[in-house]
Amino acid sequence: MKAKIVSLPGDGIGPEVVLEAERILATVAVKFGHEFEMQRFPMGGCAIDEFGTALPDHTLAACKESNAVLLGAVGGPKWDDPKAKTRPEVGLLKIRKELQLFANLRPIKTYAALLESSPLKAEIVDGVDILFFRELTGGIYFGESGRRPHPSGEEAFNVMQYSTEEVARIVRLSADAARNRRKKLTMVDKANVLEASRLWRQVSAEIISKEYPDLEYNVVLVDAMAMHLLSRPRDFDVVVTENMFGDILTDEGSMLTGSLGMLPSASIGSAGPGLYEPIHGSAPDIAGKGIANPLATILAAAMLLRHSLSLEAEAACIETAVDKVLANGFRTKDIARGGPALSTSEMGNKVLETLLAL
């Protein structure tokens, strides 16, 4: 296969972890006889510094012409001024809209070798394997917003809105995934309060009853789901929810594994390239120290191979290599619990060595 892959290293630890994922992809190409053309482009704070915008036109054009996009992380204290003309996060919202990436897939999976890293008891998190589908281009993050005069000074507002089509397309995507897993689908909303959630509940129920009667389907209020993730996470398989709820719940769920450095994500749409990234941020406090965990980004590369290039065997090979490296006791600082820790590049080397040996 020939494929164009665009890398957007971004800010903070982004360039460090993306480099390791690029090395893995290059090795996969050689091992399996593929040809991956990989190019880097600026995005985020570094792009603001150089071009005055978080997502330069030439970066967006390259992404649109690619088969898949690999992202590191964007943002940092340098660009946090709320009065700034633009912020790094604007680039994220724009690229999602421009590439029509309406679904964010976040797997929450615990590893037997890392159960001691979780803040929860091993008997609670052992065997957790949840796939979240977060709607990505609608809801309160994209609705009307602003400020207006108020007797006390100002009044700020954000509008949460969804259409039937926006709900239906991600519900179907999540239901298709559930059919290929354990046939369990959970929809999370706040239908006891929000009208937008009542639409979600109505549309979801109609689609599941008519098109997916073989699935075990249930709905959970978002506040209850926040509790269930900590008390009985193994009960869930595929979970679908709206933008803001998904943002919060997946960050909570990520801590079941003990480290944000272990979890990848994929943002996909109906057509065009997908966007793949670790769920952690730019971590400016450790940037340049060579201690960041690259495994989430490496696993994001595996998702890239699976979802954008349909290379299932290659994706599984990367995931198996990561499993073996962890089972053999190798750790970066965030998961070492005070024990010996590898650097970012050393962990990348271990995955590479294991990958080549498979």
Side-chain angles (χ1 to χ4, degrees):
M1 170 180 282
K2 291 185 178 181
K4 289 184 178 181
I5 300 173
V6 166
S7 292
L8 309 175
D11 310 312
I13 62 171
E16 301 169 53
V17 294
V18 164
L19 174 61
E20 301 309 314
E22 289 172 335
R23 295 171 63 207
I24 295 293
L25 287 170
T27 301
V28 166
V30 173
K31 181 179 176 70
F32 289 88
H34 303 304
E35 185 178 329
F36 296 158
E37 178 187 329
M38 292 187 283
Q39 288 185 292
R40 287 186 164 199
F41 289 86
M43 178 178 165
C46 61
I48 291 174
D49 288 348
E50 187 173 356
F51 300 99
T53 177
L55 184 63
D57 290 343
H58 69 284
T59 296
L60 180 58
C63 291
K64 288 183 174 181
E65 293 170 2
S66 72
N67 297 103
V69 181
L70 180 67
L71 173 65
V74 299
K78 181 180 179 182
W79 306 281
D80 275 349
D81 183 356
K83 297 180 181 179
K85 283 185 63 177
T86 187
R87 295 165 61 90
E89 294 76 14
V90 171
L92 277 178
L93 297 180
K94 184 176 180 180
I95 197 170
R96 290 169 183 168
K97 272 291 189 184
E98 291 286 342
L99 298 183
Q100 301 179 48
L101 306 174
F102 66 83
N104 182 230
L105 283 62
R106 289 193 178 188
I108 307 293
K109 178 182 176 181
T110 56
Y111 293 83
L114 294 180
L115 292 181
E116 74 282 359
S117 298
S118 174
L120 299 183
K121 295 179 180 178
E123 57 264 32
I124 293 177
V125 297
D126 188 14
V128 167
D129 185 3
I130 306 171
L131 180 57
F132 271 92
F133 280 76
R134 167 192 169 192
E135 201 288 323
L136 203 57
T137 56
I140 201 167
Y141 293 168
F142 289 91
E144 183 183 357
S145 65
R147 296 188 183 191
R148 55 199 171 204
H150 187 271
S152 65
E154 284 186 294
E155 180 180 65
F157 63 93
N158 295 83
V159 177
M160 177 187 288
Q161 58 189 53
Y162 272 106
S163 68
T164 297
E165 180 186 7
E166 287 175 311
V167 177
R169 64 187 181 182
I170 192 166
V171 168
R172 287 192 175 97
L173 203 61
S174 64
D176 287 338
R179 270 186 171 162
N180 292 319
R181 288 169 54 97
R182 302 197 303 275
K183 298 186 181 299
K184 295 174 63 176
L185 178 64
T186 301
M187 196 276 290
V188 177
D189 63 24
K190 189 64 176 171
N192 58 336
V193 175
L194 301 175
E195 191 62 38
S197 280
R198 287 190 273 274
L199 178 66
W200 268 79
R201 187 168 294 202
Q202 172 193 326
V203 174
S204 299
E206 291 174 356
I207 289 174
I208 299 303
S209 63
K210 294 178 181 178
E211 302 176 27
Y212 301 90
D214 54 313
L215 297 184
E216 178 185 335
Y217 173 69
N218 63 88
V219 296
V220 180
L221 294 175
V222 64
D223 40 358
M225 188 65 185
M227 293 186 289
H228 296 334
L229 276 179
L230 300 180
S231 60
R232 53 182 187 91
R234 282 183 298 191
D235 290 349
F236 300 96
D237 180 21
V238 177
V239 178
V240 62
T241 190
E242 64 89 45
N243 205 340
M244 182 172 65
F245 298 161
D247 191 4
I248 296 168
L249 289 174
T250 52
D251 277 358
E252 179 194 6
S254 71
M255 293 314 298
L256 299 177
T257 68
S259 174
L260 288 171
M262 289 301 305
L263 297 173
S265 73
S267 299
I268 61 177
S270 301
L275 178 69
Y276 302 86
E277 59 185 307
I279 73 167
H280 60 66
S282 61
D285 56 320
I286 62 170
K289 296 182 179 180
I291 60 173
N293 186 344
L295 293 181
T297 315
I298 289 171
L299 291 169
M303 294 187 77
L304 180 157
L305 294 173
R306 174 176 291 117
H307 294 287
S308 280
L309 304 185
S310 299
L311 298 176
E312 175 59 36
E314 290 83 340
C317 195
I318 292 176
E319 292 163 347
T320 298
V322 170
D323 281 342
K324 287 182 175 293
V325 166
L326 293 173
N328 288 333
F330 298 108
R331 305 285 186 270
T332 45
K333 186 176 181 179
D334 58 312
I335 52 176
R337 296 178 64 85
L342 300 181
S343 68
T344 305
S345 60
E346 288 171 338
M347 179 58 87
N349 287 339
K350 290 296 180 184
V351 178
L352 275 176
E353 294 168 6
T354 307
L355 181 66
L356 287 170
L358 291 175

